[in-house]
Amino acid sequence: MRHRKKTIKLGRTSAHRDALLAGLVCNLIQAKRIKTTLAKAKAARSLAEKMVTLGKKGTLGARRHAIAKLHKKKHVATLFSTISPAFSERSGGYTRILKLGQRYSDSSEMAILEWVDFTPPEKTVASSE
């Protein structure tokens, strides 16, 4: 039985999986939106939401815990200063996954992982004056 076995293994060792998820969450913090496979997006969503919850606590211990998981002080500072305060009124569900369909090369199911309140920048057409 699979009771309480929540870890999505992704076919990697635990150290490789931790590094992969930390990289995905750091890229999500930096770019606000990432494109990846559906399985990786579902695994990274869990870590990203936990990091936002730590950011909402705002304590030194929470910051150290986030640095231990993500390994990048600059991204943790961004998380604690801009992203977590934006979700101060929200009690969960900070990310969304949008399914894109299958990748052409290997038919992997692709998805976009983004913050809930993220709005993509509008494309501006350069005028030739």
Side-chain angles (χ1 to χ4, degrees), residues 52 56 86-96 116-117:
V52 172
K56 286 171 65 174
F87 293 118
S88 61
E89 300 298 317
R90 196 173 185 93
S91 61
Y94 311 115
T95 58
R96 91 167 47 100
V116 171
D117 296 330

Side-chain angles (χ1 to χ4, degrees), residues 64-76:
R64 286 177 176 164
H65 189 79
I67 291 170
K69 286 281 188 186
L70 299 181
H71 308 294
K72 302 213 180 203
K73 290 182 182 181
K74 182 176 80 170
H75 296 304
V76 171

Side-chain angles (χ1 to χ4, degrees), residues 4-121:
R4 298 183 57 110
K5 297 191 182 296
K6 186 179 174 186
T7 306
I8 299 173
K9 295 190 178 179
L10 300 173
R12 289 162 168 81
T13 63
S14 61
H16 188 184
R17 185 172 53 249
D18 291 342
L20 171 78
L21 296 178
L24 284 172
V25 172
C26 285
N27 287 336
L28 179 64
I29 291 168
Q30 181 181 5
K32 311 292 189 259
R33 173 183 237 188
I34 57 172
K35 180 179 173 183
T36 184
T37 62
L38 184 61
K40 289 178 189 174
K42 286 180 178 181
R45 174 204 290 183
S46 175
L47 182 61
E49 302 221 354
K50 288 175 185 174
M51 293 299 110
V52 172
T53 303
L54 283 176
K56 286 171 65 174
K57 286 182 183 176
T59 62
L60 179 62
R63 187 177 293 262
R64 286 177 176 164
H65 189 79
I67 291 170
K69 286 281 188 186
L70 299 181
H71 308 294
K72 302 213 180 203
K73 290 182 182 181
K74 182 176 80 170
H75 296 304
V76 171
T78 304
L79 174 72
F80 276 66
S81 65
T82 60
I83 294 172
S84 292
F87 293 118
S88 61
E89 300 298 317
R90 196 173 185 93
S91 61
Y94 311 115
T95 58
R96 91 167 47 100
I97 294 176
L98 303 171
K99 293 182 182 179
L100 295 177
Q102 293 181 336
R103 183 164 47 195
Y104 180 73
S105 62
D106 62 353
S107 297
S108 293
E109 191 71 28
M110 298 300 289
I112 290 177
L113 177 64
E114 67 182 12
W115 300 114
V116 171
D117 296 330
F118 173 74
T119 55

